Amino acid sequence: MENYWNKEIECMPREEMKKLQDERLVKQVKHVYENVPYYKKLMDEKGVTPDDIKSTDDLHKLPFLTKADLRDAYPYGLLAKPLSECVRIQSTSGTTGRRVVAFYTQHDVDLWEDCCARAITAAGGTNEDVCQVAYGYGLFTGGPGLNGGSHKVGCLTLPMSSGNTERQIQFMRDLGSTILCCTPSYAAYIGETLKEMGLTPDDIKLKAGIFGAEPWTEEMRREIEKSLGIKAYDIYGLTETSGPGVAFECSEQSGMHINEDNFIAEIIDPDTGEVLPEGSKGELVFTSITKEAFPLLRYRTRDICVLSRKKCSCGRTLIKMSKPMGRSDDMLIIRGVNVFPSQIETVLIEQGYAPNYQIEVDRVNNSDTLDVYVEMNEEQFTDTVKGIQDKEKALTAAIKQILGISPKVHLVSPKTIARSEGKAVRVIDKRKLHD
């Protein structure tokens, strides 16, 4: 039995949804043109006026926005409402360059929390549930978004934030948490800690987890489901478009439904910017059609994925996006080969290693080097030096088969790779320092 938070929207016939999107887009373009000089200038340069946008069919006429635009316009350049009407900011973790700061009116916060409520309900959440939110709070959108969604659904909400894993497990047991929300790497770590404490999934009441904010593989999903005794659901979002809840997974677990009443998705060719037909693999672009304070039109996410309108067994008619298959920018080009960290992760899990690893790329004598540090578990660690060397060789061969290039694999002792309570740092690219 599938649960819906807003059945009318989630199962709306395609024609009706298109009509709703058309109306909202036309209104939004006018709002942005009149209130955001930065975007008006981009439209003027492209020779487009709000009158040219009559429906979603005209979306392709509008200029793109990129992260570079957000940095150029920092802090207030893309604001579409007076600051007196804004009640909140959220910000990205800002690993490169200036942070991205997004603004929210109260209406924006309500819509965002509504999207998160849909995700929690799709994972089986009701007002009978205890929802443990172990995403970071503060500027990061994970904690505040799912916290608000959980309140809307009426769950008993534990605003734990990330970290202090033993306390997380103690609360989980004492208060009978049934839904866990955090990053996949932290969920895996909670599962690991549970086992070290001599506990099994039978000692906790969790039934579902909502995990996002970083790439994770199907193999990692199965590991987490096993270690915590749950069904693990994916959630997708970006600070730039509000936060988690832009798209969410249903019981079918075969991609995430995009909340199309709030966001229009397109897939483009990352090189040419041309819109690709449904089912093509390319870069995901979002247009926010309900946001008031910080409405981004045609924002390039850099995430590579596929959109599908295939009928879903859950009954929702919302278009689905695949799990991002890497990014058009965190893709590493090593010796001319495109490498996504997730490809390496898949091999590790298939070979029986936990997804605790780090990839180091460097350039020595003008040639790229690729080192993969992989943590062993206790049993693997008891092996002889020769045994460990053989395992390294086997892993090297398996990775080479997938990537077409040979890495240097280093098996390291348990617990030596730093655990992350937020987004895991998977890649260290030292080449930038030399180039």
Side-chain angles (χ1 to χ4, degrees):
M1 168 57 201
E2 191 69 33
N3 301 316
Y4 308 101
W5 173 247
N6 182 336
K7 188 170 185 186
E8 189 196 348
I9 291 283
E10 293 172 55
C11 301
M12 187 178 268
R14 177 74 203 121
E15 306 68 54
E16 277 178 52
M17 180 60 78
K18 167 114 170 54
K19 207 168 137 230
L20 183 67
Q21 287 185 328
D22 290 344
E23 281 164 23
R24 288 180 171 178
L25 176 67
V26 168
K27 206 169 131 198
Q28 187 72 298
V29 171
K30 198 168 177 306
H31 170 58
V32 171
Y33 192 78
E34 287 167 4
N35 295 291
V36 184
Y38 187 99
Y39 199 79
K40 177 183 187 294
K41 183 169 171 279
L42 290 181
M43 282 178 66
D44 290 345
E45 281 166 8
K46 222 180 159 194
V48 189
T49 70
D51 295 339
D52 296 321
I53 310 300
K54 297 186 169 55
S55 76
T56 51
D57 302 332
D58 299 317
L59 192 58
H60 66 95
K61 297 176 183 172
L62 291 168
F64 291 115
L65 277 172
T66 64
K67 209 160 212 168
D69 290 310
L70 270 58
R71 291 198 190 108
D72 292 347
Y74 174 91
Y76 297 129
L78 287 165
L79 193 60
K81 280 279 186 190
L83 273 180
S84 57
E85 289 183 40
C86 298
V87 298
R88 171 112 58 99
I89 71 142
Q90 300 282 167
S91 173
T92 58
S93 45
T95 39
T96 50
R98 279 182 180 160
R99 285 180 166 274
V100 168
V101 172
F103 298 84
Y104 302 73
T105 61
Q106 187 55 51
H107 178 67
D108 292 336
V109 172
D110 289 340
L111 286 180
W112 173 28
E113 291 180 347
D114 195 77
C115 287
C116 290
R118 293 179 196 179
I120 291 167
T121 309
T126 69
N127 60 3
E128 302 285 320
D129 281 289
V130 179
C131 185
Q132 183 158 334
V133 184
Y135 280 110
Y137 277 67
L139 290 171
F140 177 63
T141 54
L146 282 142
N147 192 84
S150 173
H151 276 240
K152 280 207 162 180
V153 173
C155 304
L156 175 64
T157 309
L158 311 187
M160 299 291 290
S161 197
S162 61
N164 204 332
T165 308
E166 297 205 353
R167 188 182 66 185
Q168 298 269 6
I169 291 171
Q170 187 192 338
F171 265 82
M172 200 177 273
R173 297 184 72 198
D174 294 350
L175 292 162
S177 306
T178 51
I179 298 173
L180 173 66
C181 306
C182 61
T183 59
S185 49
Y186 193 46
Y189 184 49
I190 291 175
E192 219 176 274
T193 309
L194 191 73
K195 192 175 171 187
E196 276 166 19
M197 290 167 74
L199 300 170
T200 71
D202 293 340
D203 295 304
I204 54 174
K205 288 197 174 143
L206 286 185
K207 63 178 187 184
I210 298 174
F211 308 129
E214 63 185 12
W216 53 311
T217 54
E218 282 304 315
E219 291 81 2
M220 188 168 177
R221 183 204 307 259
R222 286 191 284 277
E223 292 272 303
I224 294 170
E225 289 188 330
K226 202 167 84 197
S227 71
L228 293 172
I230 58 172
K231 187 158 175 166
Y233 294 82
D234 209 346
I235 190 168
Y236 178 88
L238 307 149
T239 305
E240 298 89 327
T241 52
S242 69
V246 170
F248 61 92
E249 216 168 26
C250 63
S251 54
E252 196 177 277
Q253 288 178 305
S254 63
M256 292 168 276
H257 290 285
I258 295 170
N259 285 309
E260 292 188 276
D261 52 325
N262 297 305
F263 309 100
I264 300 174
E266 303 170 273
I267 292 285
I268 63 163
D269 177 320
D271 299 324
T272 65
E274 176 203 358
V275 180
L276 300 174
E278 187 206 316
S280 311
K281 183 170 157 182
E283 183 183 342
L284 184 60
V285 172
F286 276 119
T287 295
S288 296
I289 48 175
T290 49
K291 277 198 79 166
E292 298 179 331
F294 196 68
L296 299 187
L297 304 180
R298 299 200 84 201
Y299 179 67
R300 294 184 61 161
T301 65
R302 297 283 172 204
D303 280 322
I304 301 290
C305 72
V306 175
L307 296 179
S308 161
R309 287 217 176 268
K310 221 168 86 199
K311 203 168 156 57
C312 185
S313 62
C314 77
R316 288 180 183 82
T317 50
L318 301 170
I319 198 167
K320 275 210 281 207
M321 60 178 275
S322 66
K323 200 183 255 305
M325 304 162 179
R327 292 166 62 81
S328 60
D329 59 359
D330 83 4
M331 180 177 82
L332 296 158
I333 299 182
I334 303 170
R335 297 174 224 154
V337 176
N338 295 351
V339 173
F340 289 107
S342 56
Q343 294 172 298
I344 293 176
E345 182 177 304
T346 299
V347 175
L348 299 183
I349 295 178
E350 279 172 356
Q351 302 281 329
Y353 295 88
N356 298 316
Y357 64 94
Q358 232 163 19
I359 298 165
E360 211 173 90
V361 187
D362 208 340
R363 183 160 289 163
V364 182
N365 302 332
N366 295 325
S367 174
D368 292 336
T369 59
L370 172 62
D371 289 83
V372 183
Y373 294 85
V374 183
E375 209 173 82
M376 292 181 277
N377 61 29
E378 296 295 344
E379 292 107 74
Q380 291 160 336
F381 185 52
T382 54
D383 221 337
T384 59
V385 173
K386 168 102 176 62
I388 288 174
Q389 284 171 343
D390 289 344
K391 286 199 170 87
E392 286 176 339
K393 275 190 196 136
L395 253 186
T396 300
I399 293 173
K400 182 177 183 195
Q401 202 177 348
I402 290 274
L403 301 182
I405 54 172
S406 218
K408 192 163 174 40
V409 171
H410 311 263
L411 288 176
V412 298
S413 49
K415 298 275 177 288
T416 45
I417 291 176
R419 291 299 189 276
S420 145
E421 291 158 358
K423 295 190 182 190
V425 179
R426 295 294 189 211
V427 180
I428 300 165
D429 193 340
K430 296 180 166 175
R431 293 175 300 182
K432 295 182 180 67
L433 311 176
H434 311 300
D435 287 356

